[in-house]
Protein backbone atom coordinates (compact mmCIF):
# COMPACT_ATOMS: atom_id res chain seq x y z
CA UNK A 1 0.00 0.00 0.00
CA UNK A 2 2.84 2.40 0.90
CA UNK A 3 4.60 1.73 -2.39
CA UNK A 4 1.37 2.35 -4.31
CA UNK A 5 0.78 5.60 -2.39
CA UNK A 6 4.34 6.75 -3.14
CA UNK A 7 3.76 5.96 -6.80
CA UNK A 8 0.55 8.04 -6.88
CA UNK A 9 2.19 10.99 -5.11
CA UNK A 10 5.16 10.85 -7.49
CA UNK A 11 2.84 10.76 -10.51
CA UNK A 12 0.95 13.80 -9.17
CA UNK A 13 4.20 15.74 -8.60
CA UNK A 14 5.50 14.91 -12.09
CA UNK A 15 2.19 16.06 -13.61
CA UNK A 16 2.50 19.44 -11.82
CA UNK A 17 6.18 19.99 -12.62
CA UNK A 18 6.61 18.75 -16.20
CA UNK A 19 5.24 19.55 -19.62
CA UNK A 20 4.65 22.84 -21.42
CA UNK A 21 2.23 24.05 -18.75
CA UNK A 22 4.23 22.72 -15.79
CA UNK A 23 6.00 24.62 -13.03
CA UNK A 24 9.46 23.90 -14.47
CA UNK A 25 8.50 25.37 -17.85
CA UNK A 26 7.01 28.44 -16.19
CA UNK A 27 10.16 29.06 -14.13
CA UNK A 28 12.47 28.47 -17.11
CA UNK A 29 10.48 30.91 -19.21
CA UNK A 30 10.72 33.65 -16.60
CA UNK A 31 14.43 33.07 -16.01
CA UNK A 32 15.39 33.19 -19.67
CA UNK A 33 13.40 36.27 -20.61
CA UNK A 34 11.74 37.14 -23.87
CA UNK A 35 14.60 36.43 -26.29
CA UNK A 36 15.11 32.80 -25.31
CA UNK A 37 11.61 31.98 -24.09
CA UNK A 38 10.46 29.96 -27.10
CA UNK A 39 10.36 26.48 -28.52
CA UNK A 40 13.32 24.15 -27.95
CA UNK A 41 15.99 24.48 -30.65
CA UNK A 42 19.00 22.23 -31.31
CA UNK A 43 22.39 23.34 -29.97
CA UNK A 44 24.09 21.14 -32.56
CA UNK A 45 22.88 21.13 -36.18
CA UNK A 46 25.67 18.94 -37.51
CA UNK A 47 27.66 20.07 -40.54
CA UNK A 48 25.21 22.74 -41.67
CA UNK A 49 26.36 25.30 -44.25
CA UNK A 50 24.66 28.16 -42.43
CA UNK A 51 24.82 28.97 -38.74
CA UNK A 52 21.19 29.27 -37.55
CA UNK A 53 20.14 32.57 -35.99
CA UNK A 54 19.51 31.01 -32.58
CA UNK A 55 23.09 29.65 -32.41
CA UNK A 56 24.43 33.09 -33.41
CA UNK A 57 22.40 34.70 -30.62
CA UNK A 58 23.46 32.11 -28.02
CA UNK A 59 27.14 32.43 -28.96
CA UNK A 60 26.90 36.23 -28.64
CA UNK A 61 25.08 35.94 -25.31
CA UNK A 62 27.70 33.55 -23.93
CA UNK A 63 30.82 35.28 -25.26
CA UNK A 64 29.77 38.94 -24.79
CA UNK A 65 32.29 40.15 -27.40
CA UNK A 66 35.41 39.17 -29.33
CA UNK A 67 37.11 36.21 -27.66
CA UNK A 68 40.56 36.79 -29.18
CA UNK A 69 43.17 35.91 -26.55
CA UNK A 70 45.13 38.87 -25.29
CA UNK A 71 42.15 41.18 -25.47
CA UNK A 72 39.90 42.83 -28.02
CA UNK A 73 37.22 45.31 -27.06
CA UNK A 74 34.73 44.61 -29.86
CA UNK A 75 31.29 44.05 -28.30
CA UNK A 76 29.03 41.16 -29.31
CA UNK A 77 27.21 43.37 -31.82
CA UNK A 78 30.47 43.68 -33.80
CA UNK A 79 31.28 39.95 -33.75
CA UNK A 80 30.40 36.82 -35.67
CA UNK A 81 30.70 33.14 -34.77
CA UNK A 82 33.75 31.17 -35.90
CA UNK A 83 33.92 27.36 -36.10
CA UNK A 84 36.75 26.46 -33.67
CA UNK A 85 37.21 23.17 -35.52
CA UNK A 86 36.65 24.16 -39.15
CA UNK A 87 33.80 22.50 -41.02
CA UNK A 88 36.32 21.22 -43.59
CA UNK A 89 38.03 19.31 -40.74
CA UNK A 90 34.76 17.79 -39.51
CA UNK A 91 33.79 20.63 -37.16
CA UNK A 92 30.14 20.80 -36.26
CA UNK A 93 27.84 23.78 -36.23
CA UNK A 94 27.17 23.57 -32.52
CA UNK A 95 27.28 25.93 -29.57
CA UNK A 96 30.31 24.04 -28.25
CA UNK A 97 32.24 24.56 -31.50
CA UNK A 98 31.37 28.23 -32.05
CA UNK A 99 33.17 31.21 -30.58
CA UNK A 100 32.61 34.90 -31.34
CA UNK A 101 35.33 37.05 -32.95
CA UNK A 102 35.32 40.51 -34.49
CA UNK A 103 35.64 40.71 -38.27
CA UNK A 104 39.38 41.49 -38.08
CA UNK A 105 40.31 38.62 -35.79
CA UNK A 106 37.95 36.19 -37.54
CA UNK A 107 38.64 36.83 -41.21
CA UNK A 108 42.11 38.36 -41.23
CA UNK A 109 43.98 36.85 -38.28
CA UNK A 110 42.40 33.38 -38.06
CA UNK A 111 41.52 32.71 -41.72
CA UNK A 112 43.89 34.85 -43.84
CA UNK A 113 47.02 34.97 -41.69
CA UNK A 114 46.54 31.41 -40.48
CA UNK A 115 46.87 31.78 -36.71
CA UNK A 116 45.90 28.43 -35.15
CA UNK A 117 43.21 28.55 -32.46
CA UNK A 118 42.88 26.10 -29.57
CA UNK A 119 40.06 26.29 -27.03
CA UNK A 120 40.23 24.45 -23.70
CA UNK A 121 37.20 22.95 -21.95
CA UNK A 122 37.21 25.79 -19.37
CA UNK A 123 36.66 28.35 -22.15
CA UNK A 124 40.19 29.78 -22.16
CA UNK A 125 41.97 29.75 -25.49
CA UNK A 126 45.24 30.37 -27.24
CA UNK A 127 46.35 31.29 -30.72
CA UNK A 128 49.66 30.42 -32.38
CA UNK A 129 51.03 32.41 -35.29
CA UNK A 130 52.56 30.61 -38.29
CA UNK A 131 55.94 31.75 -36.88
CA UNK A 132 55.20 30.14 -33.51
CA UNK A 133 54.23 33.14 -31.35
CA UNK A 134 51.61 32.11 -28.75
CA UNK A 135 49.00 34.35 -27.12
CA UNK A 136 46.86 32.91 -24.31
CA UNK A 137 43.69 34.11 -22.64
CA UNK A 138 43.88 34.04 -18.87
CA UNK A 139 40.29 33.57 -17.83
CA UNK A 140 37.11 31.96 -19.11
CA UNK A 141 34.67 34.13 -21.04
CA UNK A 142 32.52 36.38 -18.83
CA UNK A 143 29.14 35.14 -17.69
CA UNK A 144 26.14 36.97 -19.11
CA UNK A 145 25.02 39.55 -16.61
ZN1 LIG B 1 38.67 40.97 -32.10
Amino acid sequence: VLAMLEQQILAAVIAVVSGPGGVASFLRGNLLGKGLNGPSLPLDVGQADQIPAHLRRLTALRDQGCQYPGGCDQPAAGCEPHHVMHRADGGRTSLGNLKDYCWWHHHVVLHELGWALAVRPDGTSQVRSPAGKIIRSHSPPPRPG
Side-chain angles (χ1 to χ4, degrees):
V1 173
L2 189 59
M4 200 168 82
L5 187 60
E6 281 179 2
Q7 197 72 19
Q8 288 173 345
I9 291 172
L10 191 59
V13 169
I14 289 171
V16 169
V17 171
S18 12
V23 173
S25 174
F26 174 78
L27 294 174
R28 241 188 343 265
N30 288 335
L31 285 175
L32 293 175
K34 217 172 185 179
L36 294 174
N37 185 12
S40 295
L41 295 168
L43 299 180
D44 184 337
V45 294
Q47 291 221 296
D49 288 336
Q50 300 289 322
I51 301 171
H54 73 278
L55 284 178
R56 291 179 180 274
R57 285 197 308 272
L58 284 172
T59 304
L61 187 64
R62 179 196 62 201
D63 291 349
Q64 302 280 303
C66 181
Q67 293 298 295
Y68 198 76
C72 175
D73 58 5
Q74 279 295 317
C79 293
E80 53 195 24
H82 168 72
H83 286 81
V84 173
M85 178 188 283
H86 295 175
R87 280 180 286 198
D89 299 329
R92 302 178 67 84
T93 300
S94 66
L95 186 60
N97 193 41
L98 295 172
K99 215 160 176 52
D100 255 4
Y101 295 96
C102 67
W103 189 91
W104 169 259
H105 283 125
H106 184 202
H107 291 282
V108 176
V109 176
L110 293 175
H111 285 292
E112 293 299 320
L113 299 178
W115 286 58
L117 171 68
V119 177
R120 296 181 196 87
D122 69 357
T124 60
S125 60
Q126 75 171 42
V127 286
R128 184 174 33 79
S129 77
K133 178 180 179 170
I134 292 176
I135 301 174
R136 293 181 176 90
S137 69
H138 295 286
S139 62
R143 290 281 161 236

